[in-house]
Amino acid sequence: RMSLLMTLYENSWHGTLDRKSFIDWCGRNSLSEQNPLILSSLISYAADESIRYEGDCPEFTDCLRSIASDPSRGHELRLMAFRQYYKSARENGQLEELYSIWNTRQAYPSLELGERDYTDLACQLMVAFPDRAEEIAEIQSEHITNPDRKETFRMLCLAASPDSDVRNALFASFLESARNRRPESRVLSALALLCHRSRQEEALAYIVPSLDALEEIQRTGDIFFPGEWCSVLLKNLQNDRAKKIVDDWLVSHPEINPLLVTKVLQALDR
């Protein structure tokens, strides 16, 4: 079954299998799958393809909710499904339920969420409910006691802000100085919110400045940081417009280190 799943995933990735059909197929099979490895792969592969699919995937999202709320499932798999659920949810009813879970600190029966989950969920809700963003930020901040995690959340709030000027200023600060790109894990989390799937149109404007700064990012950052930067930047921008922007940039910059070119192409084609 794992071999079949991998074959179908590759065909969906290459466009020889209808992407939406594959995503829905994964969702339906995840409801009956008992093998933890195959189940986690069903969720992971469908989540990857849902990024490339520009429409909604309500059937898959409903399946994620069913798994997350099922106490007969293993706790780690339920957590995996729940984390993907709050990243994939788009319908108002789903978002309101997630807001209630975050606000009451009461998830599904026997599903225990930690501070990280509530913080990540808060960031997703700030994007989904711009009119509640300030309230969500204030409440979630009160639940964070560790100074480093509180500072991380402060940056994430800027990235999730409904004010585009605030978001653009944060992005610009990352390119101004290497000091502003540390700690790198915090910056990558913020960049992921800046390039949120619901903000693809605005995030397209981040591509060229990011690529222009790539050589400096390589010189001043961790060895893996350039690849991670490209991956986060382009993860939710799997569309023809983003690909054209990247292709045009590569054509106009033939002098770029081939290793960096490879990282860009890998991120674009992931």
Side-chain angles (χ1 to χ4, degrees):
R1 294 202 309 279
M2 190 65 185
S3 177
L4 171 62
L5 173 58
M6 293 175 67
T7 299
L8 292 174
Y9 172 65
E10 289 176 1
N11 279 273
S12 177
W13 189 86
H14 287 292
T16 55
L17 175 65
D18 181 72
R19 187 159 287 137
K20 178 67 162 49
S21 298
F22 173 74
I23 295 168
D24 290 342
W25 179 87
C26 286
R28 290 192 299 272
N29 280 272
S30 67
L31 294 176
S32 57
E33 181 58 58
Q34 298 300 314
N35 184 299
L37 176 60
I38 296 178
L39 177 55
S40 64
S41 296
L42 282 165
I43 294 174
S44 177
Y45 287 162
D48 281 350
E49 287 300 271
S50 68
I51 293 173
R52 298 186 184 94
Y53 181 69
E54 296 185 12
D56 293 338
C57 302
E59 184 177 346
F60 174 57
T61 309
D62 286 342
C63 292
L64 291 172
R65 184 193 180 282
S66 296
I67 296 170
S69 60
D70 184 357
S72 68
R73 299 276 190 173
H75 191 263
E76 288 303 314
L77 283 173
R78 292 181 70 195
L79 269 180
M80 178 184 183
F82 181 74
R83 288 166 180 165
Q84 188 57 51
Y85 173 49
Y86 66 65
K87 293 175 182 176
S88 302
R90 299 189 186 185
E91 296 183 353
N92 190 63
Q94 297 169 341
L95 294 169
E96 289 290 355
E97 178 194 39
L98 289 167
Y99 178 83
S100 177
I101 288 174
W102 168 80
N103 194 35
T104 62
R105 291 308 197 261
Q106 293 182 357
Y108 305 120
S110 70
L111 180 65
E112 298 180 6
L113 305 180
E115 182 185 293
R116 169 199 161 188
D117 293 298
Y118 282 115
T119 299
D120 288 349
L121 179 53
C123 291
Q124 296 295 323
L125 292 172
M126 288 174 66
V127 176
F129 296 114
D131 57 323
R132 307 182 202 176
E134 185 175 351
E135 169 207 10
I136 293 171
E138 290 178 359
I139 294 174
Q140 184 59 34
S141 183
E142 293 175 357
H143 288 278
I144 303 173
T145 56
N146 179 277
D148 287 339
R149 292 198 294 270
K150 190 177 282 288
E151 183 62 21
T152 294
F153 184 63
R154 185 196 69 78
M155 179 182 287
L156 296 180
C157 287
L158 297 177
S161 171
D163 188 336
S164 60
D165 289 340
V166 171
R167 299 196 303 271
N168 291 337
L170 176 64
F171 175 75
S173 74
F174 293 156
L175 305 185
E176 288 172 359
S177 168
R179 181 178 58 187
N180 294 339
R181 294 192 292 272
R182 301 189 185 101
E184 293 172 351
S185 59
R186 179 187 298 169
V187 170
L188 290 172
S189 296
L191 182 62
L193 285 170
L194 290 171
C195 299
H196 193 272
R197 66 172 188 274
S198 66
R199 295 171 172 166
Q200 291 190 30
E201 194 67 26
E202 297 175 38
L204 289 171
Y206 297 147
I207 296 178
V208 170
S210 291
L211 297 179
D212 287 342
L214 201 52
E215 288 188 315
E216 181 193 348
I217 289 173
Q218 182 186 45
R219 286 194 302 269
T220 59
D222 179 83
I223 187 173
F224 299 110
F225 190 48
E228 293 170 335
W229 175 272
C230 292
S231 179
V232 172
L233 172 73
L234 298 172
K235 179 178 181 180
N236 287 325
L237 300 178
Q238 301 290 320
N239 57 60
D240 291 340
R241 291 181 63 191
K243 291 177 180 179
K244 186 177 188 313
I245 292 172
V246 173
D247 288 343
D248 289 348
W249 186 89
L250 290 173
V251 169
S252 63
H253 293 76
E255 77 286 356
I256 292 296
N257 186 316
L259 290 177
L260 288 180
V261 173
T262 299
K263 294 180 187 299
V264 172
L265 293 176
Q266 286 176 339
L268 190 64
D269 295 332
R270 66 176 299 281

